Amino acid sequence: MAADVTLAAPIASSAQPSSFAEFWASFRENKGAVAGLVVLSLIVLTAIFADVLAPHSPLEQFRDAVKLPPAWYEGGNWAFPLGTDALGRDMLSRIMHGARYSLFIGLSVMAVSIVCGVGLGLLAAFSGGWLDTAISRVMDLIVAIPSLVLAILIIAILQNPSLEKTIVAVTVVSLPRYVRLVRASALSEMGKDYVTAAKVAGVASLRLMLRTVLPNCLAPVIVQAALGVSDAILEAAALGFLGLGAQPPTPEWGAMVGDGREFIRSEPWIVTLPGLAILVTVISINLFGDGLRDALDPKLKRS
Amino acid sequence: MSDAILEAKDLRRDYEVRRGFFGGTGIVKALASVSFTLRAGKTLAVVGESGSGKSTLGRLVTMIEEPSGGSLFIDGIDLATATPQERKRLRKEVQIIFQNPYGSLNPRQTIGAALEEPLIVNTDLSGKDRVSEARAMLARVGLRPEHYNRYPHMFSGGQRQRIAIARALMTRPRILVLDEPVSALDVSIRAQVLNLLDVLQQEFELAYLFISHDLSVVKHIADEVMVIYLGSAVELGASATIFAEPRHPYTRALLSATPVADPAAKKERIILKGELPSPFAPPSGCSFHPRCPLVIPRCKEAFPPTEIIEGREVACYRARDAVAVPAG
């Protein structure tokens, strides 16, 4: 397999192997990461095609089939493969649609955190002085408060919990990691000779910040972002469980666990299945993120 | 001489350093007082041991840092009073080559992009002209056209140093600060890079400020030599004069430490005692007196004035006395 590749490459093109090919070769060595990527892809596809794949509407209540167990148990019905919840809604359809919400929260938190985190981190590193101190201390302050408590506090300040407000709260909570990471790597890059050389060549601050320094800080940020998605999903699920996230009847996984918790002894699948969905998603993202780190971080790379 | 393009007068640079949390600030005199002139097409070598202020001098000349005192004239314009437009123009005139070719190139930038960047920010050339200029410069420093789209990690140290030289020349500077440009290179590559620098100097009429601690390289390339010790120039003069007959005891000690490729040559070795003193607390008077083999009581009282003796500037009370330096 490896021999084919090395033989074919020089014939196909004399150019250097692209950075993506290099990344992929290093990534696929990690079996766990590839498994994570596969599972994650399945979840993403499920989320995208939930309307087509789901057997029922996630909101439709089947009054004659309330609290049905999964189909392979006694009393189950193959019309509802994973059973139904307390209101007779199909669990499978709700979990499939729930993937949309969880991934949407995870990705939007990640996107907003990256943009804000990179901006604030670079600003702190480049300005120095009081602005740097101000940004760094505010981030320390956010870290000092337990994240779930702070998220609840933000929801309380914004009033009327909803999916959007969950995103805002989780973003604020996860921001310090990005800001610190970007600031630290920007500061270490700025001490290097190529930045001085660019300054001497007359490169002005904005270009220096975005074109010279930023690309060299991005690898750890990408890894952090991948792992940050899973943290955001967990955080949002916790808020949903407490009733401070997505509101009923939205099929958000955390809220589903919260709604079903009174049936944990009698009808455990109502709680277990959405919880399992959260678990699988988070694990696959973490495996993928670990593989990403191994492949992108030159310090961990085997030679 | 009329073709002086850079003049430094009593250049000084202090750093404020916090010593511990409660220690207050201390002042490090990285560069105490240095004056010199750079001329087009000529090389001034700055020699001295680690911590003597050589690299600080390079940073001042390239306008990366502001001097704490003294004045710096580039092209007859005093940098301290220059308008922002003048500074922008003068900044293009001085470029720098660093010691470590592995840190001086942006790892995420292709060679072509690195060469074009100075043109993008300093000129309004079209994209096509920039590419052709960059390719011409690449060929000029002895690299091949297919190197244009490659990244720095694909090159050896010598090739990277050539790229750094090409990048520095893109703005058509007249002064090049070479901060130990060949110290990190393999000996077999050194001569190639030095010869390239020599050819480029003649072609572009460049003035070199060549910072080095390698005296054999300095002897090969320099027209003038300035020896600095703990931030002060102790001897400055034509390379041939200084190498033939050093007057300052520190210069003598430095030269006696240079290996000579002749086993028959008998050499007196002057071995200095002690270490370079801390720049936090420089010695009184002449900063060299604690280690000087020729020390006299006067040396501890005041820094010796710079005198011109036999065609070189030297700051030593005993420079006129043709005394033999006791070995050991």
Side-chain angles (χ1 to χ4, degrees):
Chain A
M1 174 74 185
D4 300 351
V5 175
T6 43
L7 277 177
I11 301 164
S13 69
S14 61
Q16 335 84 27
S18 74
S19 53
F20 180 77
E22 202 181 311
F23 159 76
W24 180 244
S26 160
F27 182 82
R28 69 164 183 207
E29 275 179 33
N30 186 338
K31 298 283 178 286
V34 175
L37 182 62
V38 170
V39 175
L40 190 61
S41 312
L42 289 177
I43 295 170
V44 170
L45 288 176
T46 311
I48 294 171
F49 298 109
D51 286 332
V52 187
L53 293 174
H56 306 283
S57 152
L59 302 181
E60 192 181 348
Q61 302 180 1
F62 298 93
R63 288 295 181 182
D64 47 350
V66 173
K67 294 195 241 175
L68 229 54
W72 56 88
Y73 282 111
E74 212 185 324
N77 180 345
W78 279 104
F80 307 103
L82 295 182
T84 55
D85 68 4
L87 296 174
R89 295 174 294 198
D90 179 42
M91 290 298 293
L92 180 63
S93 309
R94 282 179 73 74
I95 289 173
M96 281 179 163
H97 279 89
R100 281 188 180 177
Y101 294 98
S102 285
L103 291 177
F104 174 70
I105 290 171
L107 293 175
S108 43
V109 167
M110 176 195 78
V112 180
S113 309
I114 283 190
V115 172
C116 298
V118 165
L120 285 171
L122 281 179
L123 194 65
F126 270 77
S127 63
W130 66 268
L131 191 57
D132 180 18
T133 312
I135 293 174
S136 304
R137 289 301 87 77
V138 170
M139 293 307 141
D140 290 349
L141 208 67
I142 295 177
V143 176
I145 305 170
S147 57
L148 192 59
V149 176
L150 183 64
I152 292 172
L153 186 73
I154 294 168
I155 300 272
I157 293 170
L158 295 174
Q159 290 175 345
N160 303 328
S162 69
L163 202 63
E164 292 75 34
K165 285 167 189 169
T166 307
I167 292 172
V168 172
V170 178
T171 303
V172 171
V173 168
S174 63
L175 201 53
R177 279 190 257 173
Y178 295 88
V179 175
R180 286 174 165 188
L181 194 66
V182 172
R183 176 175 173 275
S185 39
L187 280 178
S188 83
E189 290 300 322
M190 279 162 68
K192 293 190 180 161
D193 283 343
Y194 71 87
V195 179
T196 312
K199 275 190 212 161
V200 172
V203 177
S205 342
L206 194 66
R207 188 183 167 91
L208 198 67
M209 204 149 61
L210 300 177
R211 298 293 289 273
T212 311
V213 174
L214 182 59
N216 288 295
C217 306
L218 276 185
V221 176
I222 291 171
V223 174
Q224 178 64 60
L227 297 173
V229 171
S230 67
D231 285 346
I233 290 175
L234 275 181
E235 203 80 43
L239 286 174
F241 178 79
L242 295 175
L244 295 170
Q247 294 303 299
T250 316
E252 199 269 329
W253 291 340
M256 285 161 72
V257 176
D259 291 343
R261 73 181 185 281
E262 52 187 294
F263 311 111
I264 192 158
R265 285 178 185 282
S266 48
E267 287 86 20
W269 62 89
I270 300 178
V271 180
T272 318
L273 292 174
L276 215 55
I278 297 173
L279 181 78
V280 169
T281 309
V282 167
I283 287 180
S284 63
I285 293 174
N286 282 345
L287 284 174
F288 169 69
D290 277 342
L292 205 60
R293 179 175 56 210
D294 292 350
L296 285 180
D297 192 340
K299 281 176 224 128
L300 294 174
K301 208 174 257 183
R302 277 157 291 166
S303 52
Chain B
M1 297 233 194
S2 57
D3 52 355
I5 45 178
L6 184 138
E7 248 190 299
K9 281 184 184 152
D10 297 324
L11 217 52
R12 205 161 54 85
R13 172 74 201 182
D14 305 330
Y15 291 106
E16 252 183 42
V17 180
R18 286 194 65 150
R19 291 201 277 186
F21 195 71
F22 299 107
T25 56
I27 289 187
V28 179
K29 290 181 180 168
L31 207 58
S33 173
V34 171
S35 308
F36 60 90
T37 307
L38 282 183
R39 297 185 178 85
K42 298 287 180 196
T43 301
L44 169 68
V46 179
V47 294
E49 60 197 290
S50 308
S52 58
K54 306 186 297 277
S55 294
T56 304
L57 181 63
R59 295 175 74 86
L60 292 183
V61 170
T62 40
M63 295 185 254
I64 299 167
E65 285 174 25
E66 297 294 314
S68 316
S71 42
L72 194 60
F73 296 89
I74 298 177
D75 227 1
I77 299 170
D78 188 350
L79 275 183
T81 57
T83 62
Q85 289 93 330
E86 280 174 329
R87 283 186 73 93
K88 195 167 160 52
R89 186 176 68 81
L90 292 178
R91 167 148 280 184
K92 287 197 286 181
E93 302 280 0
V94 193
Q95 293 294 314
I96 186 165
I97 312 279
F98 292 99
Q99 172 177 10
N100 176 7
Y102 292 90
S104 60
L105 296 172
N106 185 342
R108 303 263 164 183
Q109 208 174 27
T110 61
I111 304 315
L115 295 187
E116 285 181 50
E117 189 158 49
L119 298 178
I120 295 173
V121 296
N122 286 308
T123 64
D124 36 20
L125 286 177
S126 71
K128 219 171 158 189
D129 291 347
R130 285 201 303 262
V131 173
S132 65
E133 285 241 345
R135 283 188 180 276
M137 190 58 80
L138 204 62
R140 193 64 212 77
V141 298
L143 293 168
R144 292 198 301 275
E146 67 261 32
H147 291 152
Y148 192 81
N149 287 319
R150 295 193 186 169
Y151 285 90
H153 70 263
M154 302 169 175
F155 292 91
S156 69
Q159 286 174 316
R160 284 169 186 234
Q161 207 61 311
R162 286 170 190 267
I163 296 163
I165 293 168
R167 179 183 57 189
L169 292 177
M170 289 310 289
T171 59
R172 305 285 158 182
R174 288 192 291 164
I175 304 163
L176 215 51
V177 175
L178 304 159
D179 191 351
E180 310 231 17
V182 294
S183 310
L185 301 182
D186 196 272
V187 179
S188 58
I189 309 293
R190 254 180 223 187
Q192 294 176 12
V193 172
L194 287 175
N195 289 339
L196 173 67
L197 286 172
D198 199 32
V199 172
L200 292 172
Q201 179 169 45
Q202 286 163 22
E203 187 177 329
F204 295 103
E205 277 283 286
L206 290 164
Y208 284 165
L209 183 72
F210 191 92
I211 297 168
S212 181
H213 60 251
D214 186 342
L215 290 170
S216 47
V217 168
V218 167
K219 199 172 180 177
H220 175 76
I221 198 168
D223 296 297
E224 282 187 298
V225 176
M226 177 163 73
V227 182
I228 57 177
Y229 182 80
L230 210 66
S232 316
V234 294
E235 193 161 2
L236 166 65
S239 173
T241 320
I242 289 192
F243 275 95
E245 202 197 343
R247 279 306 183 106
H248 196 282
Y250 180 61
T251 319
R252 293 192 205 182
L254 270 187
L255 291 185
S256 81
T258 320
V260 180
D262 178 7
K266 278 257 185 261
K267 284 201 54 179
E268 50 150 0
R269 284 289 304 270
I270 305 166
I271 294 160
L272 291 177
K273 298 177 295 261
E275 295 275 319
L276 195 70
S278 159
F280 275 115
S284 63
C286 174
S287 48
F288 188 53
H289 85 252
R291 299 171 77 188
C292 183
L294 301 178
V295 63
I296 52 172
R298 189 144 63 119
C299 298
K300 294 171 186 165
E301 284 153 23
F303 197 88
T306 304
E307 297 176 87
I308 296 176
I309 300 172
E310 291 174 19
R312 96 282 304 274
E313 295 171 23
V314 56
C316 181
Y317 291 119
R318 306 207 60 189
R320 279 184 199 282
D321 316 340
V323 272
V325 177

